[in-house]
Every structure is written in structure tokens, then in C-alpha cells.
Amino acid sequence: MTVFPQRAAPHAKAAHILVVDDDQRIRTLLSRYLMKEGYFVSAAADTREASARMRDIAFDLIVLDVMMPGESGTAFVARLRKSAEPLRSAPILMLTALTETADRVEGLEAGVDDYLAKPFDPRELSLRIASILRRARRADSAGPKRFGEFVFDPSRGELLHDGAPVRLTTRERDLLRALAESDGAIVSRQTLAQRDPARSASERSVDVEIARLRRKIETDPNAPRYLQTVRGHGYRLLVDPLRANG
């Protein structure tokens, strides 16, 4: 089952959440609540069904019950953390009715990102989910970005073309970093012009910098594939998902 949001969640960027709980009533309540909060939601009754869904969809977050028939939530987390990406780093919020500290520690050691004890306030659930998603997206935005034959590492400011370094000026590096860290979202010309507080620039100078950068990363700068103009709004860098080696 997949349900769609009734309204946009501005912090969520249409995040897709997988709810895994053997209690149908809880699955339904959680799905409806998260949908109203603006998330896409899929649901699974056990870890076998969850595994099947995860073969087809890369979920932004998993809300997981700890006590289920068959494989427990803790064992499922431990298995995911030994898998290849993106399963290995999937953010997980575990729900538990267990009150013993040892049970919570076991889940944290297995690799869950956060715990929430049942019964819980739905607002607290929403806040914890938003917090996990923010942390996950900060980590994603700091990682290398691939577009075609290029890989750019925002933290190092290094651009590679088929493994060979590409020389960038300081302004080009800062411009590419601002675009790469937006994860494909549109960045306005004004934002790009003001990206360096120590040196203000005109929006026209941003256009010139964009043109120069395109000559380095586009096969045809006049018909850009990656560094795109969104007329009336700004620019965006379309990046490909990085494939994990593991």
C-alpha cells in the first residue's frame, strides 16, 4: 500500500516513508497521519514485505516496529546495515513498547537513528522524523555529486572528469558547490550572486560565470544537459545518483 500526501511538507521535499508494523490499525493510523503531514507513505506488515518493497523503492526513512512475528525489527536493522547502499544507510526510526534500557541499546547498536516509545504523541513522531530527514539530507548534500562523466566533491571543491582533475577558478568552484548542494533544486540568480558575503556580485555576472562553467562541464554549452537554466527562476544542476561499490 502506498498513499500520497494531502499537502506539501516544506521540510520533507516529498520524502517517501516506509511504515513497517504487524498491527494493521497502527499501520493505517501512521500512514494517514504522515500523509496529512505531507509525506508519501508505503506500508508493510513484516520485514519480508518491507524487503520486497525496498527492492523497488529507495525510501527516505523507515518507521519500524521492534516486536513483529518472524524477523524482529532489531534483526532487520542489523541485516540492512550489512547490505549494499542505499539500504545500508537508510534512516530508521524504531517504535517500541519495550521499556528496558538494554532493549533500546540493542537497537541503537544495530544501527537505528532514533527511538520512540509507545504510546507516543503524533507531534513528537513528526518532529523526530523531520529531524532525521534533515540530518540525512545534510549528509547527502555534503557527499560527491555525479553528472555524466564528472564527479564533484563539494567538501573538497574538487571536480573530476573520468578521474582526471578539472581546473576551476575560486568563483567557479563556489558556484558549482552552491548548485551541487541544492540537490537538483532551483537556485535563484540573486542567491548565487550573494553566495559570498565578502564579495557581492551582480546577477549579470552570475550569468557570465554560468556560461564559463558550462564550457568546462557540458558537451554542448548552448544546449546544456546538466547545468540548466530555469527561465524566470534561476539555475539548477541535475546530478545522477552515485552507485556504491559495496
Side-chain angles (χ1 to χ4, degrees):
M1 177 187 71
T2 300
V3 291
F4 299 92
Q6 294 181 346
R7 63 180 177 84
H11 59 274
K13 291 186 181 178
H16 196 161
I17 297 176
L18 176 62
V19 174
V20 187
D21 198 304
D22 63 305
D23 188 320
Q24 183 176 359
R25 184 183 65 86
I26 292 178
R27 284 200 312 276
T28 301
L29 289 174
L30 283 176
S31 297
R32 288 176 178 172
Y33 176 76
L34 294 174
M35 179 184 66
K36 290 179 181 177
E37 287 291 289
Y39 298 103
F40 293 97
V41 184
S42 295
D46 54 32
T47 62
R48 171 184 280 184
E49 186 179 351
S51 296
R53 290 189 174 278
M54 294 175 73
R55 283 195 290 268
D56 299 322
I57 301 173
F59 291 98
D60 297 289
L61 176 74
I62 303 169
V63 177
L64 178 69
D65 185 32
V66 66
M67 296 293 290
M68 290 182 290
E71 185 179 37
S72 70
T74 303
F76 180 59
V77 173
R79 178 160 62 84
L80 287 182
R81 295 310 186 222
K82 296 177 182 177
S83 304
E85 296 291 0
L87 299 181
R88 181 166 54 204
S89 58
I92 299 172
L93 172 63
M94 184 167 279
L95 306 178
T96 178
L98 302 175
T99 58
E100 294 295 328
T101 301
D103 295 313
R104 295 195 297 272
V105 169
E106 183 182 7
L108 292 170
E109 288 178 341
V112 303
D113 294 86
D114 202 356
Y115 248 107
L116 189 57
K118 296 178 180 179
F120 52 82
D121 186 314
R123 185 57 186 161
E124 182 179 3
L125 171 69
S126 182
L127 291 172
R128 287 179 183 264
I129 286 175
S131 177
I132 294 173
L133 289 173
R134 281 196 301 270
R135 293 198 302 268
R137 288 200 165 105
R138 281 199 298 266
D140 287 344
S141 65
K145 309 293 181 180
R146 180 187 298 278
F147 43 100
E149 299 173 343
F150 293 88
V151 175
F152 179 67
D153 187 337
S155 62
R156 300 175 61 184
E158 181 181 65
L159 177 65
L160 301 178
H161 179 225
D162 277 342
V166 177
R167 184 182 178 278
L168 296 173
T169 66
T170 301
R171 296 290 294 177
E172 289 169 346
R173 182 180 300 111
D174 291 344
L175 177 62
L176 188 55
R177 180 182 289 117
L179 291 164
E181 290 181 344
S182 72
D183 289 326
I186 299 169
V187 185
S188 71
R189 295 165 76 223
Q190 181 181 13
T191 298
L192 293 172
Q194 298 174 351
R195 66 186 185 276
D196 184 357
R199 179 190 170 186
S200 60
S202 67
E203 292 184 13
R204 176 56 188 156
S205 69
V206 170
D207 298 336
V208 173
E209 292 172 345
I210 289 286
R212 290 175 177 168
L213 186 55
R214 278 175 173 157
R215 288 198 288 270
K216 295 186 177 182
I217 67 174
E218 297 284 359
T219 302
D220 183 358
N222 294 319
R225 179 179 178 184
Y226 305 110
L227 184 40
Q228 296 187 347
T229 301
V230 183
R231 296 196 180 281
H233 297 280
Y235 298 97
R236 65 178 177 179
L237 181 69
L238 298 184
V239 299
D240 307 319
L242 279 171
R243 292 182 175 85
N245 294 328

